[in-house]
């Protein structure tokens, strides 16, 4: 007896259903993540799966898949007798003000700096040009591991012109933001900064210093800070642990 022929449309339909469930799970995970990061679950315990399903009009399978995604991000975990709980706190870093890390996170604890490198180096061409200097001009290079309440948060590499950078060599780089020190040296506030934010994979060195899994995604913030007269004075490459920081800002659209 010949085998029963399966209509070609059946596997396609099944694949579409799986894709639909995966899309719905991702969308639900996005909503739950926002709730978690904005303090929507004050006791750190998420509602039961059937409550989430009812609140978001999702199936139990979709809820389980969404929670699996958040567990994969190490944002939540399942505890016997308790339920799904938040296990990782992310700290908000604003992008609409020019501030140092200690200024930005002062409400969340104490920022300390482990100075790993400090001293003059010959500026590579791209660095020199960003700072408005001739190629291979000496600049001050500072690499610091930034910790919040003892936990590694970011690895910062900064380049500064020597006329200002040299003055920083005798300053307290372990407990003070470079921005604060620059403003003290120049006698006034900084001007503006150009920033680029992207996700990159942690190299072996960065992963080890940040105590993060090798190859995990980190947030790379490139920032060039200027004095009020437009002179560039601080070129930074900052690698943030993506599981401990969230970037936010307020954008306004103005009519022409």
């Amino acid at each position: 007896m010949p085998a029963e022929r399966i209509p070609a449309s059946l596997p396609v339909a099944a694949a579409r259903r799986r894709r639909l469930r995966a899309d719905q799970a991702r969308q639900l995970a996005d909503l739950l993540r926002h709730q978690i990061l904005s303090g929507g679950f004050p006791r750190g315990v998420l509602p039961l799966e059937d409550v989430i399903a009812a609140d978001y009009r999702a199936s139990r399978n979709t809820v389980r898949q969404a929670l699996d995604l958040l567990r994969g991000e190490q944002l939540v975990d399942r505890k016997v007798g308790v339920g799904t709980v938040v296990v990782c706190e992310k700290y908000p870093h604003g992008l609409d003000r020019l501030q140092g890390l200690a200024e930005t996170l002062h409400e969340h604890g104490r920022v300390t700096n482990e100075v790993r490198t400090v001293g003059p180096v010959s500026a590579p061409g791209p660095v020199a040009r960003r700072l408005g200097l001739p190629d291979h001009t000496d600049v001050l290079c500072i690499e610091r591991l930034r910790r919040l309440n003892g936990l590694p948060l970011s690895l910062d590499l900064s380049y500064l012109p020597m006329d200002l950078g040299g003055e920083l060599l005798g300053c307290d780089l372990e407990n003070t933001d470079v921005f604060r020190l620059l403003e003290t040296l120049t006698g006034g506030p900084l001007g503006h900064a150009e920033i680029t934010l992207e996700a990159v994979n942690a190299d072996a060195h960065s992963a080890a210093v940040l105590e993060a899994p090798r190859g995990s995604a980190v947030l790379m913030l490139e920032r060039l800070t200027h004095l009020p007269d437009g002179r560039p004075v601080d070129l930074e490459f900052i690698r943030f642990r993506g599981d401990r920081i969230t970037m936010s800002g307020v954008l306004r659209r103005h009519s022409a």
Side-chain angles (χ1 to χ4, degrees):
M1 181 177 179
E4 183 179 355
R5 185 173 181 180
I6 300 175
S9 61
L10 290 182
V12 174
R16 285 176 178 168
R17 286 195 296 272
R18 288 194 298 272
R19 185 174 69 246
L20 179 61
R21 284 196 297 270
D23 287 344
Q24 292 172 338
R26 170 175 48 78
Q27 293 159 8
L28 177 56
D30 289 343
L31 296 174
L32 293 173
R33 187 187 302 105
H34 173 78
Q35 288 284 90
I36 292 169
L37 297 180
S38 61
F41 307 115
R43 295 183 296 110
V45 180
L46 274 66
L48 297 176
E49 290 180 0
D50 58 348
V51 174
I52 296 176
D55 286 347
Y56 291 91
R57 297 186 178 182
S59 70
R60 288 286 295 273
N61 283 340
T62 297
V63 172
R64 292 191 185 104
Q65 284 183 263
L67 294 177
D68 283 343
L69 291 174
L70 296 177
R71 274 194 290 271
E73 298 173 17
Q74 299 182 344
L75 192 58
V76 302
D77 202 0
R78 181 83 179 173
K79 290 192 176 181
V80 178
V82 179
T84 301
V85 299
V86 179
V87 294
C88 179
E89 183 176 5
K90 287 195 175 188
Y91 301 99
H93 187 296
L95 292 176
D96 44 12
R97 292 190 63 188
L98 182 55
Q99 293 182 313
L101 193 65
E103 294 173 308
T104 301
L105 300 178
H106 72 278
E107 295 180 355
H108 301 280
R110 182 167 178 257
V111 173
T112 56
N113 311 305
E114 176 188 329
V115 181
R116 300 177 53 82
T117 300
V118 59
V121 298
S122 176
V127 171
R129 289 190 287 274
R130 297 291 300 280
L131 290 173
L133 301 170
D135 287 3
H136 309 301
T137 301
D138 278 357
V139 295
L140 183 71
C141 176
I142 307 172
E143 183 181 75
R144 295 179 300 168
L145 171 63
R146 320 290 304 273
R147 298 179 185 269
L148 178 63
N149 300 325
L151 290 176
L153 186 62
S154 70
L155 181 62
D156 299 11
L157 182 63
S158 302
Y159 297 98
L160 303 101
M162 282 304 297
D163 62 322
L164 289 175
E167 299 292 329
L168 297 180
L169 291 173
C171 295
D172 184 7
L173 292 169
E174 293 185 352
N175 298 292
T176 314
D177 283 337
V178 167
F179 282 0
R180 284 290 182 92
L181 296 173
L182 286 174
E183 289 179 332
T184 299
L185 291 173
T186 60
L190 296 169
H192 70 280
E194 303 151 6
I195 64 171
T196 301
L197 181 65
E198 61 181 320
V200 300
N201 291 332
D203 58 277
H205 168 69
S206 299
V209 173
L210 290 170
E211 299 176 16
R214 183 174 180 177
S216 61
V218 295
L219 288 175
M220 162 73 87
L221 177 66
E222 180 182 326
R223 181 168 61 194
L224 178 62
T225 302
H226 302 255
L227 294 178
D229 64 5
R231 180 192 175 192
V233 292
D234 186 7
L235 176 61
E236 301 171 273
F237 299 90
I238 307 173
R239 285 173 165 81
F240 288 99
R241 279 193 55 153
D243 59 343
R244 291 180 179 163
I245 202 80
T246 178
M247 300 289 182
S248 62
V250 177
L251 304 177
R252 293 181 174 85
R253 182 181 175 92
H254 297 288
S255 58

